[in-house]
Each structure stands twice: as structure tokens, then as C-alpha cells.
Amino acid sequence: MWLGFWRSRNRLSLDELRYLTDQLFRIQVVNEVNKDFVIEALRSIAELITYGDQHDSAFFEFFMEKQVMGEFVRILKISRPVSVSLQLLQTLSIMIQNLKSEHAIYYMFSNEHINYLITYSFNFDNEELLSYYISFLRAISGKLNKNTISLLVKTQDDDVVSFPLYTEAIRFAFHEENMVRTAIRALSLNVYHVGDESVNRFVANPPQSKYFSTLVKYFCKQCLELSELVSDALKKSGLEPASTILAAVDELEDALYYFSDITSAGIPDVGRLLTDKFLKHLVFPLLLPSLKTEPTYEVKIGSVTSLYLICCILHIVKIKDLANSIAAGLFIPPEVFVANSGNKANGFSSVHELTNESEPSDNERLGSENDSLKAHLVDCTSGTQVHEEAAIKANVSIDSSVALRETLLLYIRDGNNFQVLGSLSVLAMLLQTKELDESMLDALGILPQRKKQKKLLLESLVGEGSGEEQLFSSESILMKDGLSGELDAYLQRIKDQYCVSTSSTAERSTRRCPRFQVLDALVALFCRSNIPGETLWDGGWLLRQLLPHGEAEFSSHHLVLLKESYRSCTCALLQEARGLWPDMVLTIIINEWKKCKRAIEASSPRKEPKSILLSQWKFHEEVAPSESSIPAGERMCEVVKVFVLLHQVQLFSLGRPLPEQPSINPQGDHPENSRAKTSGLDVSVPKPGTELKVVDALPCRIAFERGKERHFRFLAVSAGISGWLILAEELPLKQNYGIIRVAAPLAGSNPRIDDKHPKWLHLRIRPSSIPSLDPTKTSDGKVKSRTMVDGRWTLAFRDEESCKTALSMIVEETDLQSNEVILRTVMV
């Protein structure tokens, strides 16, 4: 029989299919002797059926006539080698994926053969077999529609009572292999998006609805793991986040996109279930309480990680009730949530309580995954408290009775950079969340001015007196109409569902206009000197969103504070003009002006939520030696970023439009007796080989290599904001002329006469540009600053007087260069 299999035949013919099936029918047991034939026969049948589906319907008609699907099931039952099971699953996957005929798919899914194979007891200890099985399930889900899905379910009184494809698949939803989890997510989404009402009821009701609860618990576990990873990594003071953290962030965001895809399927009960589980297991017991920085209770997620997660949820998961409940939760002190977490009957569950919920008895494998999940949750929440505050000390003490909205504003006013960035990001994300009602944004104090004026106008038109009064009055007055109806409704819902007392919170929240509180916090932020410029830019973006036209809502006190902050920053900038990088100041001002203007006028925040976490490593940079010019250059760039932001806020607060370019003063004329004029240099960057006069140049010697001393004429020159140290070789045939051989920046040269050798002059040779402004790409495509170091020159002059003259020349030209930069930097 086996020799006949290899005889020459038309491989893609109906005769070949007839022969193969006939041979399979004759097999009584599959063992090591005949397994190779069976495997090859199965593979060839898949190829023939796929070919026939595209070229000749007779192939599939024969397949149906001979009931080959039933034969496949029989072969599986009598097979001992696992390789046959592998090939059978692959054969069916290939056929299902490639069949275009709806008639063929209907046949494949009928007669319960597919359901039998789905529920067959494979040995999944074999990882390869599991992989083929998951691919088989996913191939089936790819052919689901409202017609085909009915062939795979069992119904009773119009209700689905059995759906093996779904129930067997979600048993592997929390498998340790990421590829398996991804495939199951894709399969489940295919099921949800079919839109079959009876199937939707099946997945949204117990016991299958337990999957969504476990899914949220699994996400809680991932959040705890991320916080622990961040805390451990920060203790090690690494220069960049560990790959494990980046992988954890990616996996978390993938999970949230999965939740988003689930809700987009439009199954109302599932959306409500996810909202309830997110609030009950994550938002209320973990995220919101952790925003308090001096924990009097056990907090398991650091405040920065919590701010990141809140932003991610708002950004990705588009559920109106979830977004509004998170926003309403910001009006409640964290202690209220913690007090209620211990009451399972009336409040939400704590993390420990999550681990004690029972799983459905009819889903053992999913239950075993839940057991593993529960064990991990217990492990994460036991023992010594671990969170980011162990690595990042908080700078602000918060009253435990203060609502979380005020906590965010306190972070902006007094918190460290990461808390400021996280709080600004949360407010920006709330502002960008379309699911939030405008009245909710108004209660938070972040409703844009144009929308608020529209809201008040509408209120006045429908006869609401408070709206008409506020429309023509200052917003600094006390709010008279209390909290918004939308906020009241969600606070009442939180109170009813989780037994949270919100009355005192609501009363405190109405004492002062929330919009004015936000504006106060932003002005205070702009007056801080310990916050990086790019974080201030995020504050500038929020300010422009709230007040697109500027001066109307700034108080005289605000204007005084902003003016004083701008004056202080201007002084700091002028100090940098006399520092090590004056030649770069104007260039960086022009570049950063454009970037800052683009950032604060953008339609949406320029940073992704993950920047909240990753910024913690941005400022753990390697410290350069104190005598190096590189840290001074980075500091100057930071001063410029703050300066351009404050200058633009200053213009904005006065109601002036922001120009495309900063108002830099034009370059002044060079004195006729300047060294640049005398030497005949008329270029801003002298190049080697350029001829110049060396009347003012001093003879000196220098060795760039050991034992190879060279003679030059030394000259220091400044031309406008540029300045250079020049070594020229004198032309023997042209008196008082020379050729430039080496040129280095004048600024930052730090000239010093040697203590023991008064004829020697030591100079620091600074790079021509700041490393962060000239990045390079690594092999993996990441952008990284170039590694640059300062050079050193030691010039030997003929006598002590010449050495002192050279020192005076450098100091004089450096002063001229700095003065020119200061004159051009003064901006009105």
C-alpha cells in the first residue's frame, strides 16, 4: 500500500484526493510504522481541498460525499503519535483559513465535528501541540459571522447554553506565553464583534462573565508588578529604564487596548461590567488612594505609576461611566476609599479580597489560572510596602481630608518634577477625554474658556439666573450654583454603590471657583525654579487650552508673580551669557522658541502617558566631572527652555500674540580696531587654511603629540557672538601673515597660567556644540546624545610677559563676545 502512495500521479487531481481518502479509510490504527503516510496524506488533502475551492467545486463535493471531516475525527481517535495530532490541527487550520466558499465553511462547521475537535482532550503539556491548537481555534474565529456562529453554539429557548469555541479558548486567556494570550484576545474579539444578541448574552452572563472580572484582576496584577519593577529599578539608579519595565509598559497598554476593543463591540452589559470591575478592583482601592504621598495606610502602587495608569485608562478605554467615575473620584479624599475597602458587603474590594473570590466550578482551567493570579496578588500585597516614594522623596505634605483634585493641584504647586508632570498629564487627559461631560470639566476647573462662555450663554438663554450672572461677572467670585448636575449624579452613584460619604467633599469643593484654583496652581508652577523647562511647557499647553485669549482671567497678583519669575529667569539667562557657552545662547533661544510655541499651541499634548514613568530616568543622567563644560551647556539649554516659556507666557498674559520668531536684536558693528578687523577675518567660523594677519598674534609652542612640538602664532578673536582661539603658522614669504592651522571655541576656555611654569598657559578646549543638540542614532534605532569631552591645550610662550598678554587677550575677547550676546538677547 505504501509503495502505491509514491507512484506518479497528477498531484492536484480529483483522483489523487480519491486515492488519499481511500487509503485513510483503510487504516485501523496509527502508530510509528504508518504515521509518516498519515501525516503526508493529511497535508496533501489540505492542499487539494484548498486548490479545489479555487478551481473545481468537485473536490469539495467529494470531500462532503465521503464525509472526510468524520474520517479526520476517527483518525485522531486511533492515533498514538502526537505528530499526527499536530498535522491534523494544521490541516484543518489551513483549510478553514483558505476556503473562500461560504458553502464549504458551513459544511466544515456543521455536524459537530469542529466542536468535537475543540473539546478533544489533547495533551497540552506539549507546547507545539498547544500552539497548533490555538492557531486552529483562531482560524475558526476568523470565519465567524451571524450565520456561521449559529453552527457552533447550542441553544435552548433562544438562549445559548454552550459555545465550546469561546469557553475552551478563554481557558488559555492568562497563559504564560504572550503569543497564546494575544491569539485568545484576537479570537474573543472576533466573537464579540459578530454582534449576535444571544451570544452576547451568553458571554455577558455568569458563569462566562467571570472572564471579564478575572481579566481586570489580571490587569491589577500587572499594575502591581509594574510599580514594583519601577521601585526596584529606581533604587539601582540606572541611566535608563530596564527592558523589563519597557516590556511591562507595552503589555499594560496592550491590555488596555484590548479592553477598548471589547467595549467597541457594543455589548452594553460587558461595558457596565468592565466599568464596575475597574472601579471596584483597581481605581478606587489602588490608584486613587496612592496619590497621597505620605501613606498612613498600605499603598501598593507609587503615586507616579498611579498617575501614569490613570492617564492610560482615560486615553485608551473609552467608557463614559468609567471616565466620569474617575473624574468624580477626584473630588473625594483618598482616606474615604481606604476606609471603605475593608467593607466587602457595602464597599469595593481590596486587593486581598480579590484573592478570596471563588471561581466558577464548570471552568476548571480558567479557575486554575485564577488560582495562580490570586497567589501572585497575595504575594504582591504582602510583606514590606514597596512603592516609588521609597526612591523618590515627596516634597509636599497633603492633608488626608483634602480631595484628590486638590492633591493634583498641590503636586503642581509643590511636588517634585515627576508628580508635576503626572498631575499635568492627568488634567490634560481629562480635558481631552470626549466621554466627560462639559459640566464635569467645569467642576474640575479645566473647561476651556470658549466652551465655558458657550455653556453660560446657553444657561442664560434658558433662564438659569446663575448662568447669566456668571456670564457678565468675574470668575474669581465664589461659585453659587454648587457642583454640576453630572458630578452630583456620579458622586451619588459612588455613594450608593460603594458607601462613600461625599457630602463634606462636595461642600469644600464649592468654596472657591475651581477654574481659579487651576489658574493659581499653573501660575505658581511657572514661578518655580526647580522644575525642568519641558515640564513647564506642558503647563503652558494646559494654560493655553483654558485661556486661549490670554489676559482676561489673570489677576493683578498673577501678573506680578509672572513678571517677577520672568525677571529672575532673565537674570539667570544673562549669567549664562557670561558662562561657558555664550556663542550658543541665541541659536538655542531661536530653536527652543519654535519648539515651545509649537508645544503649547498644539491641539493635543505632545507626550504619551508613558513619558510620566520614563521621565524618572531622563534625569538620572551620568554626572560629568565638575570641571567639564558639558553640564554647563546642558544647564544653559535648560535655562533657555524656561526663559522662552516664561517669555511666551508673559506675552500671553498681556494679551499679545506670539510671534513666530523671538525678537532678537540685530548684530552691532565691529570696532575698526578690533582684533577681528585687524586680522582681516570676515567669517564667523575660521577654517583651517584661511589666510590672516598675525600682527597681534603671539609666538608660542604646543605639542599635540608626545615629543612633537610645533611653533605657532596664537590669537584670540571675537566677532559678534562668535569667538575663536586660533593657532596659525607664519608665512615665511609674506611678512605679518599666516595660515590658520587650528581653531577652537573661545568661550569656556578658562585660561590659567601654570603655577610652577609662568610661561605656560593652560586652556580648556570646549566642544563646538552641546551633545544633546547633536544626537546620534544607535544600532537599534534609538536617538542618543553623542559622547563629547573637553580637550586641553598648554601653550608655551617666550617669556612671562607674553603669557600674561595672551591671558589678557583671551579675557578681553571673551568679555566682548559675552557683551554682544547680552545686547542681542535683551527682549522686550
Side-chain angles (χ1 to χ4, degrees):
M1 182 177 75
W2 314 127
L3 293 176
F5 177 74
W6 301 107
R7 71 178 184 270
S8 177
R9 284 190 308 273
N10 183 356
R11 190 169 58 86
L12 299 176
S13 66
L14 189 57
D15 287 340
E16 178 74 2
L17 178 60
R18 186 177 292 109
Y19 171 76
L20 292 174
T21 54
D22 181 61
Q23 295 301 318
L24 285 180
F25 279 124
R26 297 181 182 183
I27 294 176
Q28 298 303 313
V29 63
V30 181
N31 51 33
E32 293 297 326
V33 175
N34 59 6
K35 70 174 183 179
D36 291 338
F37 166 76
V38 174
I39 290 172
E40 183 60 26
L42 292 172
R43 187 198 64 77
S44 299
I45 289 174
E47 183 180 11
L48 287 166
I49 295 301
T50 302
Y51 171 82
D53 183 65
Q54 300 174 10
H55 298 89
D56 188 351
S57 61
F59 281 75
F60 201 81
E61 289 175 0
F62 176 83
F63 184 85
M64 293 188 293
E65 178 186 346
K66 295 298 183 180
Q67 299 185 12
V68 180
M69 278 296 295
E71 185 62 18
F72 285 170
V73 172
R74 188 185 70 86
I75 290 294
L76 178 63
K77 292 178 179 178
I78 62 174
S79 296
R80 297 175 182 174
V82 70
S83 56
V84 176
S85 299
L86 289 171
Q87 183 58 56
L88 179 60
L89 290 172
Q90 185 183 50
T91 293
L92 290 169
S93 298
I94 292 172
M95 290 174 60
I96 293 170
Q97 287 174 345
N98 291 282
L99 288 175
K100 306 298 182 184
S101 168
E102 291 188 9
H103 177 66
I105 293 297
Y106 291 162
Y107 174 78
M108 293 286 292
F109 286 3
S110 61
N111 299 321
E112 286 296 309
H113 295 312
I114 290 293
N115 279 342
Y116 177 84
L117 293 169
I118 290 173
T119 57
Y120 187 79
S121 298
F122 292 103
N123 179 14
F124 292 123
D125 291 337
N126 186 310
E127 294 182 1
E128 187 178 10
L129 181 60
L130 174 61
S131 176
Y132 277 76
Y133 177 76
I134 297 298
S135 297
F136 169 60
L137 298 184
R138 186 169 181 178
I140 297 170
S141 73
K143 297 295 183 178
L144 292 180
N145 55 45
K146 288 188 176 182
N147 294 320
T148 58
I149 199 169
S150 61
L151 302 173
L152 299 174
V153 301
K154 290 182 180 180
T155 60
Q156 183 178 340
D157 298 329
D158 295 329
D159 289 327
V160 174
V161 295
S162 174
F163 188 10
L165 174 65
Y166 180 75
T167 56
E168 292 299 315
I170 61 175
R171 293 163 61 188
F172 301 95
F174 309 102
H175 194 272
E176 60 184 7
E177 287 292 332
N178 183 55
M179 292 184 66
V180 173
R181 296 197 302 271
T182 301
I184 298 306
R185 289 178 179 180
L187 182 153
S188 61
L189 291 175
N190 288 338
V191 171
Y192 305 146
H193 283 270
V194 168
D196 185 280
E197 292 185 4
S198 59
V199 172
N200 289 348
R201 289 195 301 272
F202 175 77
V203 301
N205 291 322
Q208 306 311 325
S209 61
K210 198 68 177 179
Y211 168 64
F212 300 107
S213 177
T214 310
L215 201 61
V216 175
K217 294 177 192 176
Y218 186 79
F219 184 75
C220 292
K221 164 201 155 187
Q222 292 176 301
C223 294
L224 293 167
E225 287 177 340
L226 174 64
S227 186
E228 190 173 354
L229 285 172
V230 170
S231 177
D232 291 344
L234 289 175
K235 289 177 182 178
K236 298 175 183 177
S237 299
L239 299 181
E240 58 183 25
S243 58
T244 52
I245 292 178
L246 297 176
V249 166
D250 289 341
E251 191 168 350
L252 270 172
E253 295 188 4
D254 285 345
L256 286 174
Y257 278 111
Y258 177 51
F259 286 121
S260 178
D261 290 339
I262 291 174
T263 59
S264 68
I267 309 175
D269 290 342
V270 171
R272 286 191 289 269
L273 180 61
L274 286 177
T275 297
D276 178 66
K277 299 305 179 184
F278 261 104
L279 296 175
K280 186 176 182 180
H281 299 324
L282 179 63
V283 176
F284 290 159
L286 289 176
L287 299 188
L288 295 185
S290 68
L291 297 183
K292 187 170 181 294
T293 58
E294 291 187 356
T296 56
Y297 44 81
E298 197 174 9
V299 176
K300 291 305 173 185
I301 295 183
S303 62
V304 178
T305 301
S306 180
L307 291 167
Y308 157 71
L309 290 169
I310 291 172
C311 281
C312 275
I313 293 171
L314 292 171
H315 177 59
I316 297 173
V317 184
K318 304 300 183 181
I319 303 178
K320 181 178 180 179
D321 283 349
L322 178 59
N324 282 277
S325 296
I326 292 175
L330 295 177
F331 290 87
I332 304 172
E335 62 177 6
V336 175
F337 295 118
V338 175
N340 281 270
S341 66
N343 188 344
K344 186 176 181 181
N346 299 317
F348 50 79
S349 299
S350 67
V351 177
H352 292 287
E353 289 168 330
L354 296 182
T355 64
N356 295 321
E357 294 186 15
S358 61
E359 302 300 328
S361 59
D362 62 340
N363 203 339
E364 296 180 359
R365 191 164 302 176
L366 179 58
S368 66
E369 295 290 347
N370 291 335
D371 292 339
S372 175
L373 171 60
K374 287 190 281 187
H376 186 94
L377 286 170
V378 171
D379 181 64
C380 284
T381 56
S382 61
T384 305
Q385 177 180 346
V386 179
H387 50 81
E388 284 112 284
E389 279 66 37
I392 306 174
K393 298 299 182 183
N395 299 326
V396 53
S397 177
I398 297 176
D399 183 359
S400 61
S401 64
V402 171
L404 289 169
R405 175 186 170 277
E406 279 69 36
T407 299
L408 295 180
L409 298 181
L410 284 171
Y411 278 152
I412 293 173
R413 298 173 65 101
D414 302 312
N416 60 40
N417 174 55
F418 317 121
Q419 293 164 340
V420 171
L421 178 59
S423 299
L424 288 173
S425 298
V426 168
L427 292 178
M429 198 59 66
L430 288 166
L431 180 60
Q432 293 279 299
T433 301
K434 296 180 180 179
E435 289 72 25
L436 284 182
D437 186 82
E438 286 188 1
S439 58
M440 185 72 78
L441 294 176
D442 195 19
L444 289 167
I446 55 175
L447 181 65
Q449 186 183 52
R450 62 186 183 278
K451 292 185 177 181
K452 183 170 181 63
Q453 292 295 331
K454 179 181 177 182
K455 174 177 177 288
L456 295 176
L457 180 60
L458 290 174
E459 289 178 357
S460 66
L461 290 175
V462 297
E464 297 183 12
S466 63
E468 183 176 358
E469 181 179 350
Q470 291 185 46
L471 181 61
F472 300 104
S473 65
S474 171
E475 282 199 298
S476 62
I477 64 173
L478 299 180
M479 292 183 66
K480 297 181 180 181
D481 58 347
L483 296 175
S484 70
E486 188 83 6
L487 176 57
D488 281 335
Y490 278 98
L491 286 174
Q492 186 63 42
R493 182 180 300 183
I494 294 173
K495 180 179 180 180
D496 293 341
Q497 293 184 5
Y498 307 109
C499 295
V500 174
S501 176
T502 60
S503 57
S504 60
T505 302
E507 183 181 350
R508 282 194 299 271
S509 297
T510 59
R511 291 178 182 174
R512 192 157 183 244
C513 175
R515 185 184 187 80
F516 200 84
Q517 289 178 312
V518 175
L519 185 57
D520 266 354
L522 291 175
V523 171
L525 172 65
F526 298 143
C527 295
R528 297 183 61 181
S529 59
N530 60 340
I531 299 299
E534 291 199 5
T535 302
L536 296 181
W537 290 8
D538 294 332
W541 179 88
L542 184 59
L543 180 67
R544 286 300 299 262
Q545 294 294 311
L546 300 181
L547 307 175
H549 303 297
E551 79 283 3
E553 297 186 39
F554 285 101
S555 68
S556 58
H557 180 60
H558 289 155
L559 296 176
V560 169
L561 291 176
L562 291 173
K563 186 175 181 179
E564 178 60 26
S565 179
Y566 175 66
R567 187 195 65 79
S568 298
C569 189
T570 301
C571 292
L573 181 65
L574 295 181
Q575 289 180 357
E576 292 298 330
R578 294 197 178 279
L580 305 184
W581 296 83
D583 50 331
M584 296 293 295
V585 168
L586 292 181
T587 300
I588 296 175
I589 286 178
I590 293 172
N591 291 338
E592 297 300 330
W593 181 277
K594 296 176 183 177
K595 294 178 183 177
C596 181
K597 184 176 185 295
R598 188 163 54 245
I600 67 176
E601 292 183 346
S603 60
S604 59
R606 59 198 176 91
K607 296 178 181 176
E608 295 181 351
K610 69 177 67 176
S611 65
I612 301 171
L613 277 183
L614 303 185
S615 65
Q616 297 176 95
W617 282 268
K618 183 177 180 180
F619 299 97
H620 282 73
E621 296 175 349
E622 187 174 2
V623 178
S626 59
E627 66 274 8
S628 171
S629 68
I630 306 302
E634 301 296 342
R635 183 184 66 244
M636 185 269 290
C637 289
E638 187 58 38
V639 170
V640 170
K641 288 179 180 180
V642 176
F643 171 78
V644 297
L645 182 278
L646 291 178
H647 189 79
Q648 292 185 14
V649 169
Q650 185 77 4
L651 294 176
F652 176 68
S653 67
L654 298 175
R656 300 179 185 176
L658 296 184
E660 294 296 326
Q661 297 280 353
S663 54
I664 302 295
N665 294 324
Q667 181 173 320
D669 296 330
H670 304 312
E672 290 297 327
N673 61 349
S674 69
R675 291 188 176 88
K677 289 276 189 180
T678 304
S679 64
L681 283 176
D682 58 357
V683 293
S684 58
V685 181
K687 296 181 180 180
T690 303
E691 186 177 296
L692 80 166
K693 293 180 181 179
V694 292
V695 177
D696 296 328
L698 299 171
C700 68
R701 306 186 313 276
I702 185 173
F704 291 112
E705 299 179 53
R706 184 179 296 275
K708 294 183 179 181
E709 194 174 75
R710 298 177 64 181
H711 291 262
F712 290 107
R713 299 292 290 268
F714 171 75
L715 182 66
V717 298
S718 64
I721 63 173
S722 299
W724 299 94
L725 303 174
I726 296 174
L727 298 178
E729 285 185 343
E730 192 170 2
L731 292 174
L733 301 179
K734 195 172 182 179
Q735 190 176 5
N736 293 330
Y737 279 85
I739 295 292
I740 297 177
R741 295 304 182 194
V742 184
L746 168 67
S749 56
N750 191 27
R752 179 178 60 85
I753 296 177
D754 191 272
D755 295 334
K756 297 181 179 180
H757 302 85
K759 299 180 183 180
W760 291 4
L761 182 64
H762 297 291
L763 300 174
R764 171 175 55 198
I765 305 303
R766 194 208 70 193
S768 58
S769 66
I770 300 172
S772 61
L773 302 181
D774 188 23
T776 182
K777 281 191 176 182
T778 59
S779 57
D780 56 359
K782 295 181 180 179
V783 177
K784 189 177 182 180
S785 296
R786 295 179 184 273
T787 301
M788 296 184 181
V789 295
D790 293 333
R792 292 289 184 271
W793 285 0
T794 299
L795 304 178
F797 292 91
R798 292 177 178 176
D799 49 45
E800 296 180 17
E801 189 63 30
S802 296
C803 189
K804 291 180 181 179
T805 302
L807 175 63
S808 299
M809 182 193 307
I810 294 172
V811 172
E812 182 180 338
E813 294 298 321
T814 300
D815 288 342
L816 290 173
Q817 181 186 21
S818 297
N819 290 338
E820 179 67 18
V821 173
I822 291 172
L823 287 173
R824 296 190 63 189
T825 305
V826 176
M827 303 167 68
V828 181

